[in-house]
Amino acid sequence: MKRHGLLAYALFYLAFLYVPGLLLPLFSFNDSQFIAFPLSGFTTRWYAGLAADGAMQQALANSLKVATATALLSTLLGLTAARAVTRYRLRAKGAILGFIALPLFIPDIVLGIALLLLLAALALPLSLAGVVLGHMLVCIPLSMTVLIARFEGFDRNLEEASADLGENGWMTFWRVTFPLMLPGILSSLLLTFITSFDEFLVAYFLSGGSATLPVYIWGQLRFPERLPMVLALGAIILTVSVGLVALAEVLRNSGVKADKRRVGA
């Protein structure tokens, strides 16, 4: 009886999480502007309309630029910080990590307003560069979380062996550390890219006249006739995001399995 109750709870929980998301692609193929059952018919015209929407394509390009820059910079800084945290004995290490992770616990709307006030105080214009800086505050802790876990499973004897063979620190990093850290680096790049690409509130406050895709979608919700195209766009984003998250997890697990094989050997 207890087992059946737990199974029912698990199924209800999964349905509560994922059924609303599954309705998004379902209604994106509905041949009607109204979101209601029964469906009026099957159509792909909402997806075809996306290809002719110049404003949407510009917003998509902005989001790709912001997400790519954020992912690269966050992973670079996260990699160096994770290496320092795991390789050296730092005073107040826990306090430092807690301070770095603090933006993850600050509500996005508070973070967005604070950054907006900061840019205004510094007389800096609202732009995509400001959005990148805002997203980095959230993405660097995520990157560090992934990379610290990867460094902690790293065999330091390999770096010591490279140094014993005459390699300097830079070449040891490129020939030994970087290849072994590559699954974690790729996983960090994917996760921070997704986080930046999907973020709305910080981009809403800081993007100015250069809207990112989430900001563009928010603006389109004011027009009922545009809602089916927003659903189609949301279905595409949902599918790509799930695929990237799955790929990041596969890369992370492949690195863990490789470490176990080396330890077993």
Side-chain angles (χ1 to χ4, degrees), residues 10 12 46 54 70 72 84 133 162 177 193 210 229 242 249 253 263:
F12 174 78
W46 310 122
T70 300
L72 291 173
L133 294 177
S162 176
T177 308
F193 180 91
S210 303
M229 291 181 60
V242 170
E249 186 64 16
N253 288 333
V263 172

Side-chain angles (χ1 to χ4, degrees), residues 24 50 216-217 220-221 223 226-235:
L24 190 65
L50 292 176
Y216 170 81
I217 292 175
Q220 295 302 298
L221 293 177
F223 310 104
R226 303 282 292 177
L227 183 57
M229 291 181 60
V230 171
L231 294 178
L233 181 58

Side-chain angles (χ1 to χ4, degrees), residues 6 10-11 34 68 84 87 89-90 100 119 194 203 220:
L6 290 174
L11 292 176
F34 303 100
T68 300
R87 288 293 184 271
R89 294 182 178 179
L90 301 176
I100 294 174
L119 291 181
I194 295 168
Q220 295 302 298

Side-chain angles (χ1 to χ4, degrees), residues 74-98:
S74 297
T75 299
L76 177 61
L77 294 176
L79 179 64
T80 54
R83 180 177 174 81
V85 167
T86 55
R87 288 293 184 271
Y88 305 106
R89 294 182 178 179
L90 301 176
R91 294 182 179 180
K93 176 179 176 181
I96 294 174
L97 291 176

Side-chain angles (χ1 to χ4, degrees), residues 68-143:
T68 300
T70 300
L72 291 173
L73 293 173
S74 297
T75 299
L76 177 61
L77 294 176
L79 179 64
T80 54
R83 180 177 174 81
V85 167
T86 55
R87 288 293 184 271
Y88 305 106
R89 294 182 178 179
L90 301 176
R91 294 182 179 180
K93 176 179 176 181
I96 294 174
L97 291 176
F99 182 77
I100 294 174
L102 187 60
L104 293 176
F105 305 98
I106 298 176
D108 285 349
I109 189 169
V110 175
L111 187 62
I113 293 175
L115 291 172
L116 177 63
L117 294 176
L118 177 62
L119 291 181
L122 297 175
L124 296 176
L126 300 179
S127 64
L128 295 180
V131 178
V132 172
L133 294 177
H135 286 180
M136 285 175 61
L137 289 177
V138 178
C139 290
I140 289 176
L142 292 176
S143 175

